[in-house]
Amino acid sequence: MTSAPPGGRDDTRDTAEPGQRERPTSSHPDAGHARLRRWQAATEWPLTAISLLFLVAYAIPIARPDVSPDVRAVCSVVLGVTWLLFVLDYVVRTRLAPHPWRYVRRHPLELAVVVLPVLRPLLLVSVVVRLNRVNAVRLRGRVVRFAVAGTALLVVVGALTVTQAERGAPGANIVNLGDGFWWAMVTITTVGYGDLTPVTPTGRVIAVCLMLGGIALLGVVTATLSSWLVERVTDTSSPDDRLGAAGEAPVGMVSQAQVALLVAEVQELRAQLVADRQRTQAQGESGSAE
């Protein structure tokens, strides 16, 4: 009677395990990140074009309140279709992310735009954020690009939304798009002339957002300019300018000449130690021979 090979059950389980191990490999976090990056790279520019179409459809009824009902209906359809496309893109990116809930927590702006249709003008800002994250190479270039694009979009979106919120309100003095642009420029630069002020709750919320955005952009521009000036001064200063009058480095700095001198002295000391050791060994051998 032949006995079953020891661990036969385990062997059967082991033969099934490789297949079970291979399945998670396809859902490895690195593979998920790669799929997500490919999707983002393929959709960034189409989404940018869609967001610009959204901006045009959103701006026409605000800039021309007397537009025909047919044009207004077409603009409404375009707004709805573009919003659905962004919802589809958000769902796909969430599904492709290795950790969907973590992705949702790290992208609150995109979630807010999808969940709250009233925030749909922020679609443009979310697109700029993603383009800046994907295409930027150097940190300073990323900051400058984001500051310029973010400022322009904040002014445009702020002017459109405040005009839409204030037009027709009792006591409102922002009655057309020109007033909205003037108010947005004054607000985002933190000048605040006070000649035009929002009176509706929605307009005041927009004003707070623009004020905070203006303060943040001012800090970004100041930090970027300071970094650029420091780099220019560092690059244009020659090695001779960093040395003192006697050709020595200032306190706390070591010149290349001093490093070379130190290396030469260490090598000379090592050669002397080797020679002394060899002389000692030779004397010991001669003494033992006698």
Side-chain angles (χ1 to χ4, degrees):
M1 180 176 179
T2 59
S3 61
R9 286 180 146 184
D10 295 337
D11 294 339
T12 304
R13 191 183 303 116
D14 291 341
T15 57
E17 284 180 358
Q20 295 176 357
R21 294 193 190 100
E22 290 175 0
R23 281 195 296 270
T25 302
S26 60
S27 60
H28 192 272
D30 293 339
H33 285 302
R35 291 195 300 267
L36 180 59
R37 285 193 297 268
R38 286 196 298 269
W39 173 262
Q40 290 177 337
T43 58
E44 291 305 337
W45 291 111
L47 287 179
T48 302
I50 293 172
S51 63
L52 293 177
L53 181 63
F54 170 89
L55 177 63
V56 173
Y58 181 74
I60 288 177
I62 299 175
R64 299 291 301 275
D66 55 347
V67 73
S68 65
D70 294 337
V71 175
R72 191 177 294 273
V74 170
C75 291
S76 299
V77 171
V78 172
L79 292 177
V81 171
T82 53
W83 180 69
L84 289 177
L85 290 175
F86 272 90
V87 171
L88 177 62
D89 172 70
Y90 183 79
V91 172
V92 171
R93 284 186 285 110
T94 305
R95 294 295 300 273
L96 291 178
H99 306 285
W101 288 112
R102 185 183 303 175
Y103 183 88
V104 171
R105 290 195 303 268
R106 292 182 177 180
H107 299 80
L109 176 61
E110 298 174 7
L111 176 62
V113 169
V114 169
V115 174
L116 302 175
V118 70
L119 298 179
R120 283 185 294 181
L122 296 180
L123 289 172
L124 300 169
V125 180
S126 65
V127 170
V128 170
V129 170
R130 281 187 288 164
L131 281 175
N132 184 69
R133 188 184 304 127
V134 171
N135 297 324
V137 178
R138 298 186 60 186
L139 177 61
R140 188 176 299 111
R142 180 189 310 177
V143 171
V144 171
R145 185 180 296 108
F146 181 76
V148 173
T151 302
L153 283 179
L154 282 177
V155 170
V156 172
V157 173
L160 291 172
T161 52
V162 78
T163 303
Q164 184 182 30
E166 294 293 311
R167 179 182 286 155
N173 49 23
I174 302 176
V175 296
N176 54 54
L177 190 57
D179 294 338
F181 271 107
W182 170 252
W183 172 86
M185 289 295 297
V186 170
T187 303
I188 200 170
T189 55
T190 66
V191 175
Y193 283 119
D195 53 345
L196 299 176
T197 56
V199 296
T200 62
T202 303
R204 290 174 178 174
V205 170
I206 297 169
V208 171
C209 294
L210 278 181
M211 293 174 193
L212 296 177
I215 295 173
L217 289 172
L218 179 62
V220 167
V221 172
T222 303
T224 304
L225 180 61
S226 301
S227 175
W228 178 78
L229 289 175
V230 170
E231 182 177 351
R232 292 291 299 175
V233 170
T234 304
D235 292 342
T236 55
S237 58
S238 62
D240 294 338
D241 296 336
R242 303 189 187 102
L243 299 179
E248 299 178 354
V251 178
M253 297 181 61
V254 180
S255 64
Q256 295 181 355
Q258 291 175 335
V259 173
L261 180 60
L262 181 60
V263 171
E265 290 179 354
V266 171
Q267 292 176 349
E268 184 179 356
L269 289 174
R270 182 181 298 174
Q272 291 179 358
L273 289 174
V274 172
D276 292 341
R277 184 180 301 172
Q278 292 176 353
R279 188 181 305 110
T280 304
Q281 291 177 354
Q283 292 177 355
E285 293 176 355
S286 62
S288 61
E290 292 177 354

